[in-house]
Amino acid sequence: MAKGDGARARGGRGTPAASEPEFVQLLTPEGERVDHPSYKVDFTDDEYRQLYHDLVIVRRLDAEATALQRQGELGIWASLLGQEAAQVGSGRALRPVDMVFPTYREHGVLYCRGIDPIMPLGLFRGVDQGGWDPNQFKFGMYTIVIGAQTLHATGYAMGVAKDGKVGGDDAEAVIAYFGDGATSQGDVNEAFVWASVFNAPIVFFCQNNQYAISEPLERQTRVPLYQRAAGFGFPGVRVDGNDVLAVYAVTRAALDDARQGQGPTLIEAYTYRMGAHTTSDDPTRYRIASEVEAWQAKDPIKRVRAFLENHKLADAAYFESVDAEARDLAVHLRERVLEMPNPDPSTIFDNVYAEGSPELDEQRAQFERYQASFEGSVH
Ligand SMILES: Cc1ncc(C[n+]2csc(CCOP(=O)(O)OP(=O)(O)O)c2C)c(N)n1
Ligand SMILES: [Mg+2]
């Protein structure tokens, strides 16, 4: 959809951290458009409305998944509440040819790829192993191992370069998502080294949501995360992660740099995880309510709505229609989750190896004998 063009002067990006961090911003929390010397967007009215639409749908589907978990229909859920702009902004900045390597929280990016939101729910319901064909959707599998996907993404991006697919407007770029906590992982730092020295066509997209479960950002770093990139030899930029316009512009520019052969960029999307880490977590044990309230005032959806209202780009009927569509999609998602069949227990062995193995066959046989021992039992 969106055809807004991001633009920037390479090298002159980002500003040092202060207590109130500075970042690229194009839409204030009050919904006012502001200019930035290096980044801009030029959306049509329809495209602005479409971004609002996406943010609302993504939040509503996420809320439905949280509710499904609370009702025992999912084993666990990792909510993206508060991170909608970071995900929709970057997800819409991708071109169809680009390849995504997500964590376990990129439901908004997945939606922007045009993927059915039911897809990851089998994983969280425990009825499948979360597999899909990454090449079909240009979207890798959800990765629970913190930071691992940055290495997979870097290897993939190096492959893109080796295939000679870098250079030109229609070349392929790669984006790897990860969190603030992941920046402390060896994998992520190794990925930065390899991507840098091989000039890989990759964007490292860090959603700094201020916490790694209960660990706050100050336990991960003494410098702003985006500044880490300088030590690895590529540019870093911090963007207001609750501003969908700025995220779009910054990501589009970094992707285009990558596809044109200018190597990696680290984007730090400065945002906040408004909900719990997952449904297994109780954030009241490690953070205070006033912090959450301060971030609610910077809500990514409210500011786009204020912008649309102030500029008379949308009326009450439009907002109602988006809410109604979101509700319908959520109801539909719920119905389909409840219909997901339980798998035959032995399917757990199916995809361990492409060709199987005698040892695995023995384990399967043993497991099937064990299962059969319950036949006729009332328990
Ligand atoms: C290698 C590894 N270590 C520990 C964990 C347990 N774990 C799951 S989520 C998480 C925190 C991740 O924080 P962050 O990278 O900031 O991502 P967020 O969940 O905040 O989006 C940890 C430590 C894991 N999944 N993998
Ligand atoms: Mg985090």
Side-chain angles (χ1 to χ4, degrees):
M1 59 136 236
K3 292 185 189 63
D5 36 298
R8 65 173 172 172
R10 197 169 171 86
R13 290 170 283 154
T15 37
S19 50
E20 261 306 289
E22 291 187 50
F23 40 39
V24 178
Q25 187 182 69
L26 298 177
L27 191 64
T28 69
E30 294 72 37
E32 279 161 30
R33 283 282 278 111
V34 284
D35 289 332
H36 188 277
S38 306
Y39 296 94
K40 60 179 165 54
V41 287
D42 183 19
F43 292 114
T44 64
D45 294 352
D46 261 350
E47 288 167 346
Y48 280 122
R49 280 189 290 268
Q50 184 66 40
L51 286 171
Y52 174 82
H53 166 274
D54 292 347
L55 293 168
V56 170
I57 302 284
V58 161
R59 178 170 290 184
R60 184 65 185 83
L61 293 177
D62 182 70
E64 195 64 29
T66 299
L68 282 162
Q69 194 285 332
R70 287 293 182 244
Q71 292 157 11
E73 300 295 347
L74 300 180
I76 188 171
W77 181 246
S79 167
L80 58 61
L81 183 64
Q83 299 179 214
E84 296 86 354
Q87 297 203 11
V88 169
S90 59
R92 287 296 177 210
L94 292 160
R95 300 189 195 276
V97 71
D98 295 337
M99 183 70 186
V100 180
F101 287 82
T103 71
Y104 41 80
R105 206 186 287 283
E106 266 67 71
H107 325 305
V109 183
L110 179 139
Y111 171 82
C112 291
R113 287 313 256 170
I115 299 171
D116 186 339
I118 195 83
M119 238 170 48
L121 291 180
L123 173 69
F124 289 101
R125 189 168 164 83
V127 296
D128 65 43
Q129 291 155 19
W132 51 74
D133 180 356
N135 290 324
Q136 183 186 350
F137 300 104
K138 302 290 289 186
F139 190 91
M141 284 181 284
Y142 274 9
T143 307
I144 311 291
V145 182
I146 299 299
Q149 72 285 358
T150 59
L151 279 176
H152 308 157
T154 298
Y156 181 97
M158 288 167 61
V160 170
K162 281 185 192 298
D163 286 346
K165 291 194 203 147
V166 177
D169 288 346
D170 53 358
E172 178 174 357
V174 179
I175 190 165
Y177 287 87
F178 54 99
D180 44 292
T183 61
S184 300
Q185 288 290 118
D187 282 8
V188 174
N189 289 270
E190 289 165 25
F192 287 177
V193 171
W194 281 81
S196 176
V197 300
F198 285 91
N199 204 42
I202 185 167
V203 175
F204 292 107
F205 193 94
C206 176
Q207 286 172 86
N208 174 4
N209 64 10
Q210 314 300 328
Y211 286 92
I213 315 184
S214 56
E215 289 296 294
L217 185 66
E218 65 258 27
R219 290 281 173 270
Q220 310 291 347
T221 187
R222 291 291 172 103
V223 299
L225 291 175
Y226 76 95
Q227 288 181 4
R228 293 252 183 103
F232 292 91
F234 55 87
V237 57
R238 180 154 59 188
V239 61
D240 180 348
N242 285 13
D243 171 356
V244 70
L245 306 184
V247 174
Y248 178 94
V250 166
T251 312
R252 177 49 74 92
L255 286 166
D256 285 347
D257 276 0
R259 83 179 77 255
Q260 279 153 16
Q262 294 188 55
T265 299
L266 170 63
I267 296 174
E268 178 190 353
Y270 199 84
T271 182
Y272 193 74
R273 194 196 71 208
M274 293 214 272
H277 169 70
T278 66
T279 47
S280 304
D281 170 47
D282 174 9
T284 62
R285 297 181 62 147
Y286 57 83
R287 70 183 185 192
I288 51 173
S290 59
E291 182 183 292
V292 183
E293 283 159 21
W295 278 92
Q296 278 165 349
K298 302 178 203 170
D299 188 289
I301 301 186
K302 273 192 219 153
R303 68 178 74 183
V304 181
R305 183 172 177 138
F307 170 75
L308 292 176
E309 285 172 343
N310 293 346
H311 291 266
K312 305 212 179 329
L313 299 181
D315 57 13
Y318 173 77
F319 294 122
E320 274 161 32
S321 75
V322 174
D323 287 345
E325 183 187 338
R327 207 166 39 240
D328 289 351
L329 283 174
V331 169
H332 189 47
L333 186 72
R334 161 175 293 270
E335 286 165 357
R336 290 189 298 153
V337 166
L338 300 186
E339 281 165 9
M340 280 177 160
N342 286 335
D344 179 330
S346 324
T347 56
I348 191 92
F349 296 94
D350 283 355
N351 299 305
V352 179
Y353 299 116
E355 309 292 342
S357 82
E359 196 187 3
L360 197 66
D361 290 345
E362 175 46 33
Q363 286 178 20
R364 181 200 299 262
Q366 213 177 46
F367 181 69
E368 284 173 353
R369 283 196 298 277
Y370 174 70
Q371 291 284 316
S373 72
F374 293 106
E375 262 168 35
S377 151
V378 288
H379 297 294

